Amino acid sequence: MPLVLHRGAPFGPAEAAAREAWQRLGGLLVVRDADAATRALAEAAGTGAHLDREVVTLAGLRGRVRRDAGLGEAELPAPIATRLVLQEALAGRDWPGFGEAAQAPGFLAALERAINELRRARIRPAELAGEPMPPPQRDLAELYARVDGSLRLPTDVDWETADAAGGLPAFPPVALVGFDDLSPDAWALLRRLGDVAEVTLALVYEPGRAAYRARDERLAAWAAAADRLVDHRGAAEGRPEALSALAGFLLEDAHPGPLPNGAVRWVETAGSRGMHRAALEELLAAANHGTPLARCALVVPRLADARDDLDRLLADWGVPARRASRARFLETPLGLALTQLIRLGELEPEEPGALDPLLGWLRSPYAGAEQDEVDRFERDLRRGGGDQRSLLIGRWEGVAIRPAIELVAAARGGPRAQLAALLRAGWAGLANASGPDPGRADRRDAAALLALAGLASEVSEDAAEGEDQRPRGPLPRGALGRLLADLTFRDEEGPPEGLAVLDYAGLRGRRFGVVALCGLDAGGQPGRPAPDPFLGPLRARLAGRLPPRAAGTDEARLRFLQAAAAADERLVLVRRFVDDDGREVAPSPYWMETLRILGRPPGHADRRTGARGELVDDPDRAPSMREALRALAVAGRSAPGPLAAALGRRRRARGLPGRPFADREVFNVTYLEAYLRCPYGWLYDRVLQPQPLEQPFDARAEGSFGHRVLERLFTQMRDADVGACTYAALPRYLESLPDVIAEVDEALRPAAAGRVHAAFVARTERHVRDLLLAEAAAWPHLVPKLFERAIDDAALVPGARIRGTADRIDVSSEGDFALAIDYKRSGAEFPADDEHVAARLQLPLYAEAAAHSVGAASAGGLYVGITRRTVDGRFREDVPVADGLGKLAIPPERWRQLVDQAIAAASGAVDGIRAGELAGPSDLCGRWCEHGVLWR
C-alpha cells in the first residue's frame, strides 16, 4: 500500500487531492481540530451519505490504531505529577550547570519541554552519556537519566501507538489535510500505516519559496520516505484575486501590480485597545452585510496577552465569541486565594507577618467565613499587635481555618502532601463560593482545580508560542511555587456559532470568510523567536534525530502566510501607529509586504482617530449605546479658552448627581479632613482610588516604616512594664531599638532593596533614636498604653460613626485623662487661629474618640515628626503631660472649644459628602493640587 505525499499552498490543489482520495476510497479523514472536523463533515454531506467515512483528529486516529492493536486506553500520570518527579529529582543534589536558574519560576516547564522533545526524538539517556557538552546540557543529561525510569509522558504513548501500527494486518484508508508539520512519532505512525493501507497526506509546503523556509529540512526527509511525491502549483480556487496574490507572491521578488480594492483592507489605530476595537468593528460590519459571525475570525499575535482586553470589549458590545487559550492556575481567583494559604504555611510558627495572608484567605469567598467575624478578628489582632502564625491560628474559631491548619501541617510533609492539601482546600473553597448558576469565574476555578488534580488536558505542541508573556505576579516561594508557576489549563469560552478569536498559531489549517489580523507592527508580528535554552547546543550533534528548529523568524513567516490564506472573502490588516504609551510604532515587514504585492503606497491605510481608539468620530457608527454616549459627551465638552469663559459655558452644576453617599454612616477622620481640604482631591484619592501597578517605596512607605518601628518598640516597653520614655527608662528603649529595626525591616523590606534601602534603615534608626532622646528630654508624665488603636465612635458626630486609628494613646497614672499622639514622617502643624478649623480636624477628633474608647477624658493631642523631631498640638494645662512642652498647654475651656469646632466641621463634611457637594480646592490644598482637571 502506498503513502502518497501531496505538497502545495494552503487549501489549494494538494488538499483537494487528499479530500478526493477520501471521497473515493472512504476511511478516515484526519484534520487538525474539532472545528475543522465539523466543517469537513458539513462539506461531505453535500456529496451524499457514506457510511464508510469518518472525520477524526490526530488523537482520534491514534485511538483507532490502539483499539485495533488491542492496546486499550493509555494511562498517564497527571501533568503536575510529571513536574513533581522533576522537582524531587532536582532537590536531591546540587546542579552546578543549572545554577540559580533551577530555582526560577518557569524552569520546570522548560525542563519538561526539553525532556519531552528528547523522548519524541527517541533519544535515550545512554545516547547522551560521554558526549562533550556545556555544563547546562551535562546536567540535563544526568537529570534525564535519573528520571528515565519514573517518568511516563504523552510522547511515550504516541510512540507506543506508532509501533503498534506496524503490526496491524489491515487498516482503513487515511487522508490527512490541514497540517504543515508533523512530530516524529506522528510521521512514523502514518508511514507504518502506509504499509497496510492507502495513506494520502496533504502538507502545506511549496519548495523553493522563502515563505516556507521553516519546513525545508523536515519536508525533504519526508519526501525521501514517501512512496510517491506530488507537488501542486496554484492557490485555492474561488478566492478574490487580491487574496490569491498574497498567498502566491508573499516574500517573492515578483508581484502582480495594482489590484482592485475590496478584498484587502489596511487599518491603522492608536493603542492596543484601539486595534482590537477597529478589528472588531470591521468584522461586525461584515456580519451586518451577511457573513455569518461564525465565519469571521479575529486574530492576535498572543491570545493569552490580549484575552482580558478582548473579553471586556466583547462583553461590552454583547458580541458572542468563542476562543480557547491557556490560563495560569495562579491567575484565577481561587488560585490567588489559595496562594495566601501557601504563604501562611511557609512561615515559621513564631515568624511575624502571618496576619495579612490569613486575612487574605478569610476575606475570600472560598473560606466561607462571616465577614463581620473577620472584621472583629482583625480589629482584635491589630489592637493586640502580634501576628505570629501560631498565635493567629489558635485565635480563630470556625471551619474556615481548617484548610490553613491542614496546609501548614502538610508543609512538613513535602510537595506531594502540600499539593494534596491544596487540592482539598480548593474543592472545599469552590463549594463555598459557587452559587446555583455557576458563572465564568466559577468555570475557570473548576478548570484550574482539574489541572491541579491532573484531569485537564496537557499542553498542546503550540502552547509555548501562545503562552502569556505578562509578568507572573506573586508566586509562592520554594518547591511548591516552582511547581505551580507554569501550571496552566485550557480556558475556553463562547458558543460554537460565535465569532472566532484566535492567535496566529491557532489559525493554521482553518478557513473563514472574513479574517482580521492584528498586531502588524514592530511590537506584534513577527515576535521574537522563543529561546531554546537546553537543546540548542545539542541540535548540531544530534542532527537527523532531534526535530529541526526553524531559524530566526522563518516560523512567523509561515504563520503569516497561512493566516493570509485563511480568508475566503476578505482580509483586514490592523496595526498600531502609536503604542499604548503614545510612542510611534513602525509597521511590521508583513504590513509593508502586503502593500508591495497589491501595489499600494506605503501610507495607504484607513487611520482611525479618537482617544487611544476608545472614541468614534461619528456617533451614528457607534456599535453600542454606551459608545454613542461617549462620543456625544466629547462633542459637548467645554470649548477651549480662558478658564473664566470655559466656566461660563459649563453645562452642569458642580458636584455629584443622585446623592450617591446619602446613606453612608461610617466616616474615617482623615477621610473627612481630606474632603474639607479639597473635595475633588477627596473624590480622586478616597473614592476613585487609582492605584499604581507597583507600590513605590516612597515617603508614605517610609512613614509607615517609622510608624511600625515606634509601635513595636513602645509595645515591648509597655509589656515589660518599663513605663514612659524618661531619662531613667531611656537605656531600655535604646537597647531594644536595633532588634526592633531589624524585625520591621525583615517584614517590610521591598523585593529590590539594596544599598539605598539599607541607608534609609540606618537613617530611620538614627531619627528614632533622636526622637526618643527628645521625648526623654521633655520628661513625659503620662504613660504610653495603646498603639495603633482602632477607634469607632458613634456618639462623637451626630448621625455618623467616626472611625480611624490612633497611633498612640498615653494615659495618666489614675486613668482619668488620655492624650492622642499621631506620628508624621517629617511633621505637621496645628494652626492656632480659628480660620483654619479644617486643618486641625484630626487631633481633636482623635483625642476625643480615643479618650472615649478607654473611658477617660481627652487631655489633648500631639503631632510628632519622626525625621525632624518636631512636636505640635495642644493639651490642657491642668493635666501634667510633659515638662518640656509647656508652650503647647492651653486652658481646659480652650481645648473644649477646639474639640467642639472640629466636631462641627466634621458634621458639615458629613452633610456635604452625603449631598454629593464638590467645591473647588480651598487654600489648604496648596499649589501642588493635581485635581484641577476634575473641577474645571
Side-chain angles (χ1 to χ4, degrees):
M1 298 289 181
L3 183 148
V4 183
L5 176 59
H6 296 267
R7 306 188 303 188
F11 315 112
E15 181 173 314
R19 289 180 180 272
E20 189 277 330
W22 177 59
Q23 295 279 358
R24 176 170 46 85
L25 300 172
L28 305 176
L29 178 66
V30 182
V31 296
R32 289 192 65 91
D33 50 37
D35 278 354
T38 301
R39 179 163 181 169
L41 287 172
E43 292 174 350
T47 63
H50 295 269
L51 297 179
D52 58 346
R53 294 184 196 165
E54 293 182 61
V55 180
V56 298
T57 62
L58 198 53
L61 175 64
R62 290 182 173 119
R64 283 289 303 274
V65 170
R66 294 184 67 86
R67 186 191 68 185
D68 291 0
L71 293 177
E73 292 189 14
E75 293 185 4
L76 283 171
I80 190 70
T82 299
R83 292 187 184 173
L84 186 57
V85 170
L86 294 175
Q87 175 61 47
E88 290 172 339
L90 284 171
R93 47 154 285 191
D94 292 331
W95 301 88
F98 295 151
E100 295 297 325
Q103 308 300 320
F107 182 79
L108 290 178
L111 197 62
E112 182 185 9
R113 282 196 290 268
I115 292 178
N116 187 72
E117 193 167 355
L118 290 171
R119 284 278 182 88
R120 198 171 285 282
R122 283 202 151 176
I123 297 174
R124 309 307 302 183
E127 299 177 62
L128 301 177
E131 287 275 345
M133 291 182 289
Q137 282 66 42
R138 285 201 303 269
D139 278 4
L140 172 65
E142 185 174 343
L143 183 70
Y144 184 24
R146 176 172 291 198
V147 301
D148 188 42
S150 57
L151 202 61
R152 181 167 166 81
L153 300 173
T155 301
D156 302 325
V157 177
D158 294 342
W159 271 115
E160 184 180 82
T161 305
D163 293 340
L168 294 174
F171 200 78
V174 175
L176 181 141
V177 297
F179 291 80
D180 64 89
D181 196 9
L182 294 170
S183 60
D185 57 275
W187 171 259
L189 172 65
L190 295 169
R191 177 59 272 182
R192 289 164 187 171
L193 288 177
D195 295 333
V196 296
E198 293 273 357
V199 177
T200 308
L201 275 62
L203 295 179
V204 176
Y205 179 76
E206 293 183 83
R209 286 192 57 185
Y212 294 91
R213 191 177 300 155
R215 298 292 179 267
D216 283 350
E217 188 174 348
R218 65 195 78 184
L219 261 295
W222 296 338
D227 296 315
R228 187 158 63 94
L229 175 66
V230 183
D231 282 322
H232 299 266
R233 296 293 178 185
E237 297 181 358
R239 303 177 74 225
E241 186 180 3
L243 298 180
S244 296
L246 283 182
F249 293 94
L250 196 70
L251 303 179
E252 300 293 317
D253 292 335
H255 64 89
L259 292 174
N261 284 321
V264 180
R265 275 180 51 75
W266 294 264
V267 180
E268 293 180 329
T269 67
S272 299
R273 185 164 297 168
M275 176 175 65
H276 298 154
R277 175 197 173 98
L280 186 56
E281 285 178 340
E282 293 286 335
L283 296 172
L284 292 178
N288 288 336
H289 284 84
T291 302
L293 201 57
R295 292 271 294 139
C296 297
L298 194 158
V299 185
V300 294
R302 288 171 294 276
L303 183 54
D305 290 349
R307 177 184 61 228
D308 295 339
D309 187 54
L310 287 172
D311 285 351
R312 180 199 64 82
L313 189 60
L314 291 165
D316 280 353
W317 290 8
V319 178
R322 66 189 194 277
R323 61 126 180 93
S325 65
R326 299 200 72 83
R328 287 197 177 97
F329 174 82
L330 290 178
E331 72 176 332
T332 62
L334 177 58
L336 292 174
L338 292 175
T339 303
Q340 304 298 324
L341 288 182
I342 298 172
R343 289 175 56 198
L344 189 66
E346 291 167 347
L347 297 173
E348 294 297 328
E350 302 306 320
E351 185 177 351
L355 181 57
D356 288 340
L358 180 58
L359 289 176
W361 166 251
L362 293 176
R363 292 202 181 279
S364 73
Y366 308 100
E370 292 291 337
Q371 292 307 300
D372 289 343
E373 295 181 14
V374 180
D375 291 341
R376 288 194 294 271
F377 177 70
E378 180 180 8
R379 181 189 61 207
D380 294 342
L381 263 296
R382 294 200 185 280
R383 180 186 302 164
D387 64 349
Q388 290 84 7
R389 193 188 73 193
S390 58
L391 170 66
L392 297 186
I393 291 180
R395 289 284 298 274
W396 178 266
E397 296 179 0
V399 296
I401 202 68
R402 189 175 302 159
I405 296 173
E406 291 182 358
L407 203 63
V408 167
R412 297 189 294 271
R416 291 182 185 272
Q418 285 179 290
L419 286 171
L422 197 66
L423 192 59
R424 289 193 298 271
W427 286 121
L430 192 59
N432 288 331
S434 298
D437 186 19
R440 180 187 169 215
D442 296 320
R443 294 193 296 273
R444 292 188 73 190
D445 285 342
L449 284 178
L450 289 173
L452 187 66
L455 303 179
S457 59
E458 177 53 297
V459 178
S460 66
E461 294 176 21
D462 298 322
E465 299 175 33
E467 283 180 351
D468 191 344
Q469 302 298 312
R470 298 172 298 181
R472 287 182 173 84
L475 291 174
R477 63 191 180 191
L480 188 59
R482 290 190 290 275
L483 286 168
L484 298 179
D486 288 289
L487 178 62
T488 62
F489 60 92
R490 187 175 179 83
D491 180 27
E492 190 167 3
E493 285 289 325
E497 67 277 6
L499 170 73
V501 181
L502 307 160
D503 54 25
Y504 284 80
L507 190 60
R508 289 190 297 173
R510 304 176 69 173
R511 300 177 72 178
F512 295 90
V514 182
V515 176
L517 303 180
C518 297
L520 293 178
D521 52 60
Q525 185 76 2
R528 291 180 296 177
D532 188 13
F534 289 119
L535 299 183
L538 298 178
R539 292 191 184 277
R541 296 176 186 168
L542 299 172
R545 302 290 306 282
L546 277 175
R549 184 181 174 89
T553 59
D554 286 350
E555 191 72 30
R557 290 179 179 180
L558 181 56
R559 298 289 170 84
F560 179 72
L561 171 68
Q562 294 170 320
D568 283 341
E569 304 167 12
R570 193 177 194 189
L571 182 68
V572 183
L573 308 174
V574 192
R575 83 170 186 97
R576 303 173 302 168
F577 63 87
V578 295
D579 64 11
D580 296 339
D581 297 320
R583 294 185 293 263
E584 187 174 0
V585 181
S588 165
Y590 304 144
W591 174 278
M592 302 304 296
E593 178 70 358
T594 57
L595 292 171
R596 179 191 70 84
I597 293 173
L598 301 185
R600 304 292 190 270
H604 177 82
D606 176 13
R607 176 167 289 194
R608 300 291 175 85
T609 58
R612 295 171 67 120
E614 276 293 286
L615 301 176
V616 293
D617 294 328
D618 182 6
D620 294 335
R621 293 180 57 240
S624 69
M625 179 64 71
R626 177 177 176 180
E627 302 301 315
L629 291 174
R630 280 184 180 178
L632 291 173
V634 171
R637 64 186 175 185
S638 298
L643 177 60
L647 289 175
R649 290 190 293 271
R650 291 185 65 90
R651 304 198 175 184
R652 63 174 176 83
R654 288 177 178 168
L656 299 173
R659 297 169 60 89
F661 308 108
D663 297 329
R664 176 163 293 188
E665 296 182 357
V666 178
F667 297 87
N668 190 286
V669 173
T670 56
Y671 190 88
L672 299 175
E673 194 174 42
Y675 177 81
L676 291 173
R677 180 181 295 112
C678 177
Y680 277 88
W682 160 83
L683 176 68
Y684 182 83
D685 293 329
R686 304 298 178 126
V687 179
L688 302 179
Q689 291 184 308
Q691 297 295 318
L693 294 178
E694 180 179 357
Q695 293 295 336
F697 195 84
D698 54 7
R700 180 177 297 182
E702 291 182 5
S704 299
F705 189 98
H707 272 65
R708 184 72 69 88
V709 169
L710 289 166
E711 180 239 327
R712 290 201 179 187
L713 178 61
F714 275 92
T715 299
Q716 286 187 12
M717 297 299 101
R718 178 200 64 191
D719 296 345
D721 202 23
V722 174
C725 184
T726 62
Y727 272 128
L730 182 62
R732 292 286 303 275
Y733 279 83
L734 297 180
E735 179 184 358
S736 299
L737 179 60
D739 292 338
V740 171
I741 287 281
E743 292 175 6
V744 176
D745 183 38
E746 177 69 22
L748 300 183
R749 173 184 290 267
R755 288 181 295 177
V756 173
H757 179 77
F760 157 74
V761 173
R763 187 169 65 250
T764 299
E765 182 173 1
R766 186 173 66 253
H767 287 319
V768 173
R769 183 181 297 272
D770 292 343
L771 182 65
L772 295 173
L773 290 170
E775 182 162 344
W779 201 263
H781 293 278
L782 303 187
V783 180
K785 288 292 185 181
L786 299 172
F787 312 97
E788 296 296 322
R789 172 75 169 191
I791 58 176
D792 188 343
D793 198 317
L796 191 60
V797 175
R801 291 174 61 188
I802 301 301
R803 285 183 175 177
T805 303
D807 293 340
R808 172 178 152 190
I809 300 176
D810 290 7
V811 182
S812 62
S813 57
E814 294 80 10
D816 50 350
F817 287 103
L819 177 81
I821 294 179
D822 193 69
Y823 291 119
K824 301 295 184 183
R825 176 178 174 270
S826 56
E829 295 181 356
F830 188 85
D833 60 278
D834 290 342
E835 295 181 4
H836 297 92
V837 175
R840 62 179 190 221
L841 187 73
Q842 188 176 12
L843 277 184
L845 291 184
Y846 269 4
E848 196 73 4
H852 288 177
S853 71
V854 297
S858 65
L862 299 177
Y863 288 129
V864 176
I866 298 176
T867 60
R868 297 181 182 176
R869 302 179 303 283
T870 58
V871 179
D872 200 2
R874 295 294 183 272
F875 60 86
R876 294 172 49 155
E877 61 186 8
D878 60 336
V879 178
V881 171
D883 292 345
L885 299 177
K887 64 178 182 178
L888 303 181
I890 59 176
E893 57 273 14
R894 175 55 178 164
W895 172 249
R896 187 67 249 171
Q897 183 183 17
L898 294 179
V899 171
D900 292 341
Q901 288 176 345
I903 292 174
S907 181
V910 167
D911 293 341
I913 291 172
R914 286 173 172 170
E917 296 175 357
L918 298 179
S922 67
D923 295 339
L924 296 176
C925 197
R927 61 181 180 275
W928 56 82
C929 178
E930 299 176 352
H931 311 301
V933 68
L934 292 177
W935 65 269
R936 290 187 182 127

